[in-house]
Amino acid sequence: MIVHNKGDYTYNIGARIIPGANNLEGSDIDAYKAAVKLPLNAALVKDIIIVQEAEDITQMNVEKAGDLISDTWDLQVLEQFKEKEESSKSPRSTVIRALEKQVESIVNPPDDERLNNDGDENPPE
């Protein structure tokens, strides 16, 4: 089950829900479904901070999948999405390209976004 945390904070709603996409499996799904009924967690769902998207990426339309992918920074989740999409009956090349692009931007960020320490003991300010 894909749960999208649209907020800036990590929540424990039966399972650890980090910002971006979270791919819940097994007992985490049951724990999430039970915990989301609690008032504080229900408020996060009502305020559209935590959204249950779909059972897997292949059930989402291309636009929604693209939005979810661009908000996801967890490489493991992105790899799971890619495996699921590639093994579907009709893999969507646009979704696979979006996944590859997001992984590439995480693994090899542009030079202006890299933190360079140049061997100093103190990081740059």
Side-chain angles (χ1 to χ4, degrees):
M1 169 190 336
I2 299 173
V3 176
H4 189 179
N5 178 351
K6 295 183 178 190
D8 296 327
Y9 305 103
T10 298
Y11 298 100
N12 188 352
I13 304 177
R16 184 172 163 249
I17 308 295
I18 63 171
N22 294 268
N23 196 19
L24 303 183
E25 297 175 336
S27 62
D28 285 343
I29 294 172
D30 296 331
Y32 169 80
K33 287 181 178 180
V36 81
K37 295 175 185 174
L38 299 172
L40 182 61
N41 298 335
L44 293 170
V45 172
K46 183 180 179 220
D47 293 342
I48 312 174
I49 295 171
I50 304 294
V51 179
Q52 180 180 332
E53 296 288 358
E55 289 302 312
D56 68 59
I57 194 87
T58 62
Q59 296 176 340
M60 301 173 78
N61 67 40
V62 173
E63 183 179 335
K64 194 166 197 147
D67 290 342
L68 181 71
I69 291 164
S70 67
D71 193 30
T72 302
W73 300 97
D74 186 330
L75 289 172
Q76 182 179 6
V77 170
L78 292 168
E79 289 300 324
Q80 290 172 344
F81 287 170
K82 187 176 179 196
E83 288 173 14
K84 218 28 153 165
E85 187 65 37
E86 288 175 338
S87 66
S88 70
K89 286 184 179 179
S90 53
R92 300 167 292 180
S93 61
T94 52
V95 173
I96 293 170
R97 279 195 308 272
L99 287 160
E100 290 170 346
K101 181 180 175 185
Q102 183 68 357
V103 168
E104 181 64 24
S105 73
I106 295 168
V107 174
N108 295 312
D111 286 338
D112 59 338
E113 293 181 16
R114 292 179 188 224
L115 178 63
N116 292 320
N117 193 347
D118 297 328
D120 293 341
E121 290 182 21
N122 299 316
E125 295 179 12

